[in-house]
Structure formats: C-alpha cells, structure tokens
Amino acid sequence: MGFKVNPHRVNIDYEFELFDSAYNPLNRKNKKVCEEFEFIYFFTEKNELNLSTGREYDSEYLSYLETILEKKIAIYPFDLSASPWWGSFEDIDTKRITNSKEFSFTIAKNLNLLTEMSFFINSSGELPELNPNQKYLVKSPYLMSGRGQSLYDVDNIPETPFLLEPYHNVIEDFGIRVCFEKGVLYCVELKNLNGKQFSGGKIINLPEIFDSNILIAIAKEYQLKGVKKSIQIDCYTYENNIRYLVEANDRKTMGDFIYSQYELFNNSSGGRGLYVENIQIRTFKDMRSFLGKNIYSPESKKGVIPCSPPGNLKTWLYEVE
C-alpha cells in the first residue's frame, strides 16, 4: 500500500522485532499490544501526526486531542511498510547491540558500576558458586524492561544466555535521558508495579545522590558505538546505593512521553504525572463522565488528561496542576 505522506506505525514491540527472527508483527495479538500504546505517539511526536493503524478511534477522543495539542491528527490504514516510530531498524546490527542488556552489562562492568556477584552467563557451565543466603535475579539480555525477568531458581535454570545479578529491594526507579551535547535532559521518577510492570511516572530534578559525570561517561560509551544524539539510562536506588545502568534504550521511551507531557502542559511537576487506572472505558462520553470536572481544560491549563483512547484495556491519565 502506498501513501502520499509517510505515516508512522507505533512499534512498541520493537525488541521482539529486533531480536526474534520468528516474531510476527502482523499477528493480531501482537498488533493489539501496539495499538494499546499508540496514544503515546499523539503526545510525543513533534511533527505532523500521521498514524498508520488498524484501530478505529473514537472521533470525540481525537477531537479532544486536537484541541489540547493544537495539531491535526490523520489516521491511515495499517501497513507494515509505514515508518517504524518507537524504534528504528536503520543500521540494525548496531541497534541490536545498543538495545541489549548484554552491552549495558559490559559497559557497567568496564566502568566498575556492577554490584558484586553480577554475571553474564553464556552457558550452564559458567554458573558460579552463589551465596545461598542471597536472592538473585535472572534477566533476558534482549527483552524490554520487566520482560524475561524472574528470581533465580537453582532447580529451574533458564536457557542461556542470561544476566544473573543480586536481587535488591528497590527504593526508586529512574529513567534519565542524557544528550551527548547538553548532558542530562530529564529525569523521570518511574513507577513500576511489583518492580516489573511500568505504571507511570513524573519529571523530577536529578537527585543530588546521582553523579552526572558517571551518567555522561555511560552515554559516551553509547555514542562511541554509534548512537545518535542521546540515550536513556535506567537506574535505581537501594539501601543507600545507586545501581547505575540497569539498562539503556536506544529508542523512544515512556520517559520521552512523560517529558513531552511536561513540556506541552505548563512545565508542571505538580500532580501525579502519568498514572494508570485498571479500568476499561468504552466511549469518550464515558471518559468525560469518569473524570467529571477534573478533566483537563486548555483554558485553566489544569486537570487530568485522558491520554489513552476509549476501548483500551487500561486507562492512562496525566495530571497537571
């Protein structure tokens, strides 16, 4: 199918397309996952909004977004040849390196940022002798954050390769985008359910406990590997310590989405920022009823923005104060 314009498809399944040769992005279940998060595009894309999708959007929802964003939204039929928006496949061999936890592990090791007893396991014969009183976390080197992650079980060793790290009681998670020319662009305090599933976040000042020189040193390693402009570095705090470079993302992120909201709506750090309600709302009329007088108004520049469209399995909201 040819287009007079070059619409985007929101390939939120980027890592699967990037690393799994058997993955089928045209599978209905896989397309549904991407459609659940297409709303990110409307708020984050800086240029014209031309979306290639198989989803039918509530016209009132689109009209509301056009009003608050002051931009027109054009919807096109889904086509796999549309420009991948979430992550690029240009120079795909480099992308497979820079989006892997194997590479972030190597950088963290070279910069002496790993916690003790952290390993990259290529075969079962490489398994070290572990402290029986310590819990360990197993991570896939090639899936997005929270996927392919579990507690290590000596009686159920996963297929190699995998990362093996001490389990920490995480206090706070952060997504920090570092620009190669300007340094730290933003810091997002991330909310994750059960330490895995992303559930929201808000822009904050970079906490004083972070060393920006370490963040810049990490970013420099990605720049040397061919990453353009910037990289998002995920970190967390635990027991008065920082785990730098849990992973990094050479693609768009939920942090970018939150930062775009921050820029679009008053540069406000007040309110809850982005959060999710585990409810399904059928129509935009129902959405207005659900939010009532709290719905965001361009006149007051305050309130709760219904980010996700009616019909989503979960409802994503952004509060501006």
Side-chain angles (χ1 to χ4, degrees), residues 83-102:
S83 179
W85 179 79
W86 184 252
S88 170
F89 296 103
E90 293 181 6
D91 194 5
I92 191 168
D93 291 336
T94 297
K95 292 290 185 182
R96 285 179 176 143
I97 295 170
T98 56
N99 282 288
S100 74
K101 293 187 183 70
E102 180 179 5

Side-chain angles (χ1 to χ4, degrees), residues 141-283:
Y142 310 117
L143 293 180
M144 67 182 71
S145 180
R147 299 291 186 95
Q149 179 174 305
S150 63
L151 286 175
Y152 176 73
D153 181 356
V154 69
D155 296 320
N156 188 22
I157 297 174
E159 291 185 11
T160 55
F162 60 86
L163 299 177
L164 185 63
E165 302 177 354
Y167 173 84
H168 296 139
N169 290 313
V170 175
I171 298 171
E172 289 182 302
D173 288 288
F174 303 91
I176 304 167
R177 184 162 291 280
V178 180
C179 295
F180 301 143
E181 291 187 359
K182 298 181 180 180
V184 174
L185 174 64
Y186 67 68
C187 176
V188 175
E189 182 183 19
L190 300 169
K191 302 298 181 185
N192 296 308
L193 291 175
N194 303 318
K196 295 182 181 180
Q197 188 177 3
F198 175 78
S199 62
K202 63 183 295 185
I203 295 293
I204 62 169
N205 293 326
L206 184 70
E208 292 183 0
I209 58 171
F210 278 93
D211 186 336
S212 60
N213 291 321
I214 291 176
L215 295 168
I216 291 170
I218 293 168
K220 183 67 175 179
E221 296 297 316
Y222 281 90
Q223 185 181 24
L224 290 172
K225 199 62 181 179
V227 176
K228 311 295 184 186
K229 295 184 179 180
S230 70
I231 189 80
Q232 180 174 302
I233 302 166
D234 287 355
C235 310
Y236 64 72
T237 56
Y238 70 100
E239 301 168 1
N240 298 317
N241 289 299
I242 301 173
R243 172 67 165 91
Y244 287 97
L245 191 53
V246 178
E247 64 175 65
N249 299 124
D250 181 17
R251 56 161 170 78
K252 293 181 177 66
T253 67
M254 294 302 285
D256 296 331
F257 169 52
I258 294 168
Y259 184 64
S260 291
Q261 299 272 44
Y262 172 82
E263 285 192 307
L264 284 167
F265 304 109
N266 239 8
N267 284 338
S268 170
S269 295
R272 295 173 63 179
L274 181 70
Y275 64 102
V276 64
E277 296 282 2
N278 193 22
I279 57 173
Q280 187 174 25
I281 294 177
R282 296 293 180 182
T283 68

Side-chain angles (χ1 to χ4, degrees), residues 14-66:
Y14 179 60
E15 278 82 357
F16 289 103
E17 282 196 75
L18 193 63
F19 293 114
D20 185 354
S21 60
Y23 179 78
N24 180 11
L26 295 176
N27 175 278
R28 180 57 198 153
K29 182 179 178 181
N30 296 336
K31 286 178 66 179
K32 178 65 176 174
V33 171
C34 292
E35 289 169 2
E36 279 284 304
F37 290 95
E38 285 177 344
F39 67 88
I40 298 168
Y41 171 75
F42 299 134
F43 294 90
T44 311
E45 174 58 32
K46 305 301 184 187
N47 299 309
E48 292 182 355
L49 299 178
N50 299 303
L51 177 65
S52 173
T53 178
R55 181 172 190 162
E56 291 187 14
Y57 278 89
D58 184 303
S59 60
E60 288 189 55
Y61 167 75
L62 293 179
S63 178
Y64 175 79
L65 291 193
E66 288 181 336

